[in-house]
Amino acid sequence: MGRLGTFRSTCRLGLLLVLAGGSEAVVMAQSTSSATCTVRIRPREAADYDLSTEVTIQGAVEGWEGRSIRIRMAAGVLRVDTGAWNTSGLFQAGTPLEILASRSVVDGRQRFLAREIRHAGGVLMIRDAFGAPIQAGSL
């Protein structure tokens, strides 16, 4: 099954229309049907990465801060978390990059988690297509 579990199952789908009036509720219609659906279970290590909030960040490397790369954009500087990857030896300051990242808000501050770093020499994969981290140096 690999890192991602895929299961086929029969799902019960239902529709219930309820009208409420005062303290009474009246069921007007009820319909159920069955369908085959696919359920994908993402690995636990991908839990902090939300594919639905992915954004593309374009800018130039300004520097590094811990395990984050600072990207200079027209609107200011963004910190993008690169996980276990130390990118300070890979890119020089001023290098133009395009980063695919998930955006979230933690403690009232924006947080960006990198999945791909695109540069003139290719693409550095930080996380797989489902958001699970790729171990630094494993490619």
Side-chain angles (χ1 to χ4, degrees):
M1 193 176 344
R3 294 171 54 114
L4 180 72
T6 301
F7 301 95
R8 291 209 180 271
S9 176
T10 300
C11 303
R12 296 204 54 82
L13 307 172
L15 172 64
L16 181 64
L17 178 62
V18 178
L19 296 177
S23 62
E24 296 181 22
V26 179
V27 175
M28 295 301 290
Q30 182 176 356
S31 171
T32 59
S33 63
S34 296
T36 301
C37 60
T38 301
V39 178
R40 294 178 192 239
I41 300 174
R42 291 178 11 158
R44 181 180 311 237
E45 57 270 13
D48 62 344
Y49 195 91
D50 185 353
L51 294 168
S52 71
T53 65
E54 280 189 333
V55 294
T56 300
I57 300 165
Q58 294 180 337
V61 174
E62 181 178 85
W64 295 265
E65 189 174 318
R67 56 184 210 165
S68 295
I69 188 169
R70 290 192 321 267
I71 301 296
R72 166 70 62 194
M73 302 170 44
V77 177
L78 284 181
R79 286 183 31 216
V80 181
D81 186 332
T82 58
W85 291 82
N86 179 356
T87 60
S88 64
L90 300 176
F91 308 112
Q92 295 179 0
T95 302
L97 298 178
E98 181 177 280
I99 301 176
L100 183 60
S102 172
R103 179 190 172 277
S104 63
V105 177
V106 178
D107 297 327
R109 297 185 63 181
Q110 289 191 89
R111 179 178 184 210
F112 295 92
L113 297 174
R115 183 162 72 90
E116 293 180 0
I117 299 176
R118 300 172 185 148
H119 54 96
V123 177
L124 174 61
M125 300 293 296
I126 304 291
R127 293 173 176 264
D128 66 19
F130 303 102
I134 297 172
Q135 292 296 324
S138 66
L139 296 177

